[in-house]
Amino acid sequence: MEGRAGVDSRRLASPDDLLILLTVARLGRFNAVAETLGTTHTTISRRILALDKQLGGRTLERSPHGWELTQLGAAAVEAAEAIESTLGSLSGLISKDQSTLAGLVRVATTDGVGAVFVTPSLVRLQRQHPQLNIEMLSATRKVSQNRSGVDLEIVVGRADVTTAQTIFLSNYYLRLYASPGYVARHGLPERLDDVGQHAFVSYVESALQVAELGPRWSAQLPIPRTSFQATSVFAQVEAVRRGAGIGLLPNFMVATDSPDFVPVLAADFERQLPIWAVARPESLRSARVQAVIAALQDEVKERSALLAG
């Protein structure tokens, strides 16, 4: 870490390079920054080196979670945020619309939550801000200490982080379901121990990073007789619908009045999981990221009955 808390006023840093540093601070990886800014990894590296020379010290240092700011870098990012805010105000005056958001925001999310809640909120936000570009990456991963390459990550499960910041969005439930056809052929288990005598639909255990999504996370569910495993929750829902077995599915993806699904042991089993928004502190100060979080919070609030059902 650099021992110096501020930027030497005798050194004039390039505003463009400062804004590049701000983007690195938010995304953590040069490749992601290059994609966002439409340039190359080499160009980003060269501009950061030039900025370090202008400021007389290193602004970034490597960590297991991507590039992190030094003390000098943190001071430079404060200056970059001021430049970004001023440019945003100027753009608003030119367009006569102070609320306009522009630029790219990258959001990583799980499949189910992404389709049901994140996508509608982002579509609505983009309608309000036509100059806003969105990239949504789908993956079911555990909460990262500091996921690099994205502005914001929507995750489920325990949020054991120290360097990133978390915002609680909502809880939802995993419950057991089967199709009417499967029930007609095999019947319903009378107790949880009997589930082990049935075929079971769930995530691929060897590829599952969020242990709470799998049937073996707790001793409540026995090892099934046979299984149909998929990395996509949409494939799991369809497999249950087609009679592949009893499935451990998110409640918000199964309508309570759907004739395609029969609740299994509803009074005996359910698993509650939280949904979190996770980001670097620098990302959370971005107006674009703040707008995405607000849109998500509105979407979750409006559809709270779906999450609680």
Side-chain angles (χ1 to χ4, degrees), residues 46-202:
R46 180 167 52 81
R47 296 319 308 162
I48 293 299
L49 288 174
L51 181 64
D52 289 351
K53 184 176 181 180
Q54 292 163 357
L55 297 180
R58 293 185 62 188
T59 55
L60 295 169
E61 57 186 11
R62 284 189 180 276
S63 82
H65 313 298
W67 290 102
E68 304 290 348
L69 294 170
T70 64
Q71 190 172 355
L72 175 63
V77 160
E78 288 184 11
E81 288 174 333
I83 293 171
E84 182 184 54
S85 176
T86 300
L87 291 175
S89 298
L90 179 60
S91 297
L93 288 172
I94 293 173
S95 65
K96 298 182 180 180
D97 183 0
Q98 294 286 351
S99 65
T100 295
L101 293 174
L104 174 65
V105 61
R106 308 180 91 206
V107 181
T109 179
T110 61
D111 270 347
V113 172
V116 178
F117 297 100
V118 180
T119 297
S121 65
L122 293 180
V123 169
R124 183 190 308 174
L125 182 65
Q126 195 175 48
R127 280 203 302 263
Q128 297 168 353
H129 304 281
Q131 298 179 57
L132 185 65
N133 293 308
I134 293 167
E135 289 184 2
M136 196 173 88
L137 298 83
S138 295
T140 301
R141 303 181 294 195
K142 62 183 178 181
V143 177
S144 169
Q145 285 290 338
N146 218 336
R147 183 79 65 197
S148 62
V150 296
D151 294 289
L152 185 70
E153 188 172 22
I154 312 303
V155 294
V156 300
R158 290 172 295 180
D160 299 326
V161 296
T162 54
T163 56
Q165 293 189 20
T166 59
I167 298 171
F168 174 75
L169 295 175
S170 181
N171 287 313
Y172 74 99
Y173 296 91
L174 289 173
R175 295 187 175 125
L176 299 174
Y177 300 93
S179 70
Y182 181 87
V183 173
R185 292 191 303 273
H186 302 283
L188 285 172
E190 295 182 0
R191 54 184 183 171
L192 282 175
D193 286 346
D194 297 337
V195 172
Q197 304 305 312
H198 287 261
F200 203 83
V201 178
S202 65

Side-chain angles (χ1 to χ4, degrees), residues 288-309:
R288 294 188 296 270
V289 173
Q290 290 173 9
V292 169
I293 293 173
L296 267 169
Q297 290 172 325
D298 288 344
E299 188 73 26
V300 167
K301 183 176 180 181
E302 288 179 11
R303 304 172 71 187
S304 58
L306 182 62
L307 288 159

Side-chain angles (χ1 to χ4, degrees), residues 248-285:
L248 183 63
L249 304 177
N251 65 317
F252 60 81
M253 297 192 70
V254 180
T256 55
D257 58 349
S258 172
D260 295 335
F261 298 93
V262 177
V264 177
L265 298 170
D268 299 324
F269 178 86
E270 69 178 14
R271 185 181 296 168
Q272 180 176 279
L273 290 178
I275 306 171
W276 304 91
V278 184
R280 291 169 172 252
E282 294 80 18
S283 290
L284 288 177
R285 293 196 293 267

